[in-house]
Amino acid sequence: MPKINVSAKVIYDISSGIYRSPANALKELISNAFDADAANVVIRTNRPFYNTITYYDDGEGMSPEEFEWAMSHIGGSRKRRDGEVSFTKKRRPLIGKIGIGILAVAQICKSFTVISTNKGSNIKIQAKIDLKEFEASEVYELVLADKDITIGQYNIDKHPENKSEHYTKFILHEIREDFKTDLEEKREEFTDYSKYAQGTKPLFREAESKNFRDFIDWLRTKDVKKLKDYWRLLWELALYSPIEYFEDGPVLKEKIFTHKKRELASYGLTLDVDGFILKKPIILPVDNDIETKGVDYAVYEIDSEKDGIDKSQLKFTGYIFNQRKQIRNTELQGILIRIKNVAIGKYDKSYLNCPISLGPIANFNSGEIYVEHGLEEALNIDRNSFRESNRQFKLLQVYVYELMSKIYRDTRQRSKERIAVRNKKQLIERRNSVKHALDLLSKKYSIKYGTLKHDSSEKPEVPIKYDKNDIVIYTNHKIFEIRGIDKILLEKFLILSEINKRADFVSAPDYYKALLEYLKK
């Protein structure tokens, strides 16, 4: 039975666990399907039991020779073995490069069956792969070496198949307990677990329709971090994979990023997980009071070419959505880097370790950057992080720093403008309330506002005057310029003093008492 050999260096790099979540592991298979020009990817988790997980895509598939080559060259992608290739036959940007997709499966299950055929072939391969040797303790104790390590073995059979068929299927057996435990839900999560086993009473009611948008709308006001891992699996697969956005995403009421949305839609990749047809789960904002552009929010579109970056070094596009308060879904706070349409890690709230202190403003943003050229050499083997010493990564860092500095300044300025408008509105409302109260108490007095007229050699007169039953307040008097003073309270005091001079306190005690009580408010 043939052995599956991997270089010790690759095993050394990944022995601590290359994939951080179930979604990250399955993302590799979806990326392979994208590279194989698949139109459909179907995943079934056998929920809620998770005893067997199945995967299917209708991509180009593999011939027996290609499969055997892949098994004997883990860490050397067959997609690029004939030289540097940038696009698939359908002109999709090629994702795969490292050639370690099988190791994603190794962290989900102990054995699996792969069935595949390519168009024009009259046979299909069926191989049973045992990865139990991958668990051997010595695998995790390796040092860097120029030798190969056996991580499993496989047995391949050939069966007749229609020449028009092309697909790849994975059947994952012996699901690893930690993976399985992560996905399992507890009985108390559901109001009626006995019915749930037959497909009813899920965590959120709309899920009965298997409408993924219903799930996302339900989730928009929830905290993704509090979801159980099955629901996180849906969320993360939708977020990480090279699939299209919802028609009104990523920002409601804004036609941004239209070129990328059209591009993703043109690839025609449909991702079906347990009946949910996934799309990118980014719908901003979630707050009903974030509605006025330039006041409540701003959108910064990113285009490296327009911003003067040499496209032979690095080419990328994207956006950052900024709002006047914290992004409700904390998982969307920060910036997400995508290479060849696939997410690298999670949203980064440090903005590539931005050196300026953003404070709370760091949580006011959600953005994506799609890298179309460059940065692949900066990728670590887990495809979830970068080597920050890489020259292209540093170039992107500088770009992000400068953009975040601008967003910081703009946010502060918009905040000042909002505060000024709010304070002016409150000032007018409070002055009107004083006028209204005086009008109700007596028709004798009315409040007006004026401006003292004097040249630079004269001192301002008193801040308040009585003129034909009008009490005139001069708002440019220096007394109102004192920092920290409550101007409305001062106005009330001046009005009270002026009326005290004019009113017959003995004959009008009720009036004066009522006015005094009001001025205390």
Side-chain angles (χ1 to χ4, degrees), residues 443-457:
K443 298 295 183 181
K444 186 176 180 180
Y445 304 104
S446 63
I447 305 298
K448 293 186 177 180
Y449 293 89
T451 303
L452 287 167
K453 297 180 181 179
H454 56 85
D455 59 38
S456 59
S457 64

Side-chain angles (χ1 to χ4, degrees), residues 266-280:
S266 72
Y267 295 148
L269 179 63
T270 298
L271 177 56
D272 176 344
V273 181
D274 291 339
F276 290 98
I277 306 301
L278 306 191
K279 293 189 178 182
K280 284 202 169 43

Side-chain angles (χ1 to χ4, degrees), residues 107-252:
Q107 290 193 328
I108 298 175
C109 62
K110 298 178 182 179
S111 65
F112 67 93
T113 299
V114 59
I115 305 169
S116 188
T117 187
N118 49 5
K119 194 171 184 178
S121 174
N122 60 1
I123 61 170
K124 64 181 177 183
I125 59 167
Q126 180 167 328
K128 180 69 181 291
I129 297 149
D130 190 335
L131 296 168
K132 291 187 180 67
E133 291 181 60
F134 190 64
E135 296 181 305
S137 59
E138 58 267 22
V139 168
Y140 297 95
E141 297 172 358
L142 290 171
V143 295
L144 293 175
D146 293 327
K147 61 180 180 178
D148 287 346
I149 300 298
T150 298
I151 67 166
Q153 53 189 339
Y154 66 94
N155 184 39
I156 185 171
D157 296 316
K158 299 177 182 179
H159 303 278
E161 183 56 280
N162 190 312
K163 286 187 176 182
S164 63
E165 293 291 336
H166 51 94
Y167 57 80
T168 298
K169 300 177 183 178
F170 284 84
I171 304 172
L172 280 55
H173 316 288
E174 299 179 273
I175 306 300
R176 295 184 182 276
E177 285 304 314
D178 53 351
F179 188 96
K180 189 175 176 180
T181 301
D182 284 344
L183 289 176
E184 286 176 340
E185 295 105 0
K186 304 297 184 291
R187 289 178 180 268
E188 56 267 24
E189 288 184 44
F190 304 95
T191 55
D192 189 343
Y193 188 86
S194 62
K195 290 184 179 180
Y196 169 69
Q198 281 74 48
T200 61
K201 296 293 182 183
L203 186 59
F204 67 103
R205 270 176 286 175
E206 292 85 350
E208 294 179 18
S209 67
K210 294 296 184 183
N211 187 326
F212 188 63
R213 180 55 185 263
D214 290 339
F215 170 62
I216 295 305
D217 287 341
W218 171 84
L219 183 58
R220 285 171 68 196
T221 56
K222 307 293 187 298
D223 187 349
V224 174
K225 292 180 180 177
K226 295 181 180 179
L227 291 179
K228 293 299 180 181
D229 278 25
Y230 175 79
W231 301 103
R232 285 186 63 88
L233 175 70
L234 295 183
W235 160 268
E236 291 181 356
L237 282 176
L239 189 64
Y240 299 156
S241 303
I243 54 178
E244 63 181 308
Y245 290 88
F246 286 107
E247 185 176 350
D248 52 356
V251 180
L252 295 168

Side-chain angles (χ1 to χ4, degrees), residues 462-479:
V462 293
I464 188 168
K465 281 188 175 182
Y466 178 79
D467 182 22
K468 298 179 182 179
N469 293 332
D470 291 335
I471 295 178
V472 182
I473 298 175
Y474 296 105
T475 56
N476 66 328
H477 192 279
K478 65 179 182 180
I479 196 172

